Short mmCIF file of all heavy atoms in Angstrom, two decimals:
data_model
loop_
_atom_site.label_atom_id
_atom_site.label_comp_id
_atom_site.label_asym_id
_atom_site.label_seq_id
_atom_site.Cartn_x
_atom_site.Cartn_y
_atom_site.Cartn_z
N ASN A 49 5.82 6.27 -6.38
CA ASN A 49 6.12 5.51 -7.58
C ASN A 49 7.59 5.12 -7.63
O ASN A 49 8.45 5.95 -7.36
CB ASN A 49 5.80 6.41 -8.78
CG ASN A 49 5.25 5.60 -9.92
OD1 ASN A 49 5.42 4.39 -9.95
ND2 ASN A 49 4.58 6.26 -10.82
N LYS A 53 7.49 -1.17 -4.15
CA LYS A 53 6.30 -1.86 -3.63
C LYS A 53 5.99 -3.12 -4.43
O LYS A 53 5.81 -4.20 -3.87
CB LYS A 53 5.07 -0.93 -3.65
CG LYS A 53 5.25 0.35 -2.88
CD LYS A 53 3.99 1.20 -2.91
CE LYS A 53 3.59 1.67 -4.30
NZ LYS A 53 4.57 2.59 -4.92
N SER A 54 5.90 -2.98 -5.75
CA SER A 54 5.53 -4.13 -6.58
C SER A 54 6.60 -5.22 -6.51
O SER A 54 6.29 -6.41 -6.51
CB SER A 54 5.32 -3.71 -8.04
OG SER A 54 4.19 -2.89 -8.15
N THR A 55 7.85 -4.80 -6.44
CA THR A 55 8.93 -5.78 -6.35
C THR A 55 8.83 -6.54 -5.03
O THR A 55 8.99 -7.77 -5.00
CB THR A 55 10.30 -5.08 -6.48
OG1 THR A 55 10.32 -4.37 -7.73
CG2 THR A 55 11.43 -6.07 -6.45
N GLN A 94 -1.50 -5.26 -10.16
CA GLN A 94 -2.06 -3.97 -10.54
C GLN A 94 -2.77 -4.06 -11.89
O GLN A 94 -3.82 -3.46 -12.08
CB GLN A 94 -0.96 -2.91 -10.59
CG GLN A 94 -1.55 -1.52 -10.65
CD GLN A 94 -0.50 -0.44 -10.47
OE1 GLN A 94 0.58 -0.69 -9.93
NE2 GLN A 94 -0.81 0.75 -10.91
N ASP A 170 -1.97 -5.36 -5.12
CA ASP A 170 -0.99 -4.35 -5.55
C ASP A 170 -1.74 -3.15 -6.14
O ASP A 170 -2.29 -3.24 -7.23
CB ASP A 170 -0.02 -4.95 -6.58
CG ASP A 170 1.22 -4.08 -6.79
OD1 ASP A 170 1.36 -3.06 -6.07
OD2 ASP A 170 2.04 -4.42 -7.65
N GLU A 171 -1.76 -2.07 -5.40
CA GLU A 171 -2.43 -0.83 -5.79
C GLU A 171 -3.84 -1.08 -6.33
O GLU A 171 -4.15 -0.72 -7.46
CB GLU A 171 -1.59 -0.09 -6.83
CG GLU A 171 -0.17 0.16 -6.34
CD GLU A 171 0.31 1.56 -6.58
OE1 GLU A 171 -0.53 2.47 -6.69
OE2 GLU A 171 1.53 1.74 -6.64
N THR A 201 -0.52 -2.71 -1.30
CA THR A 201 0.41 -1.63 -1.55
C THR A 201 -0.40 -0.45 -2.04
O THR A 201 -1.47 -0.62 -2.64
CB THR A 201 1.45 -1.97 -2.65
OG1 THR A 201 0.80 -1.93 -3.92
CG2 THR A 201 2.07 -3.33 -2.43
MG1 MG B 2 4.01 -0.86 -8.42
#
Side-chain angles (χ1 to χ4, degrees):
N49 215 341
K53 302 182 297 296
S54 293
T55 303
Q94 194 171 340
D170 195 5
E171 305 226 25
T201 74

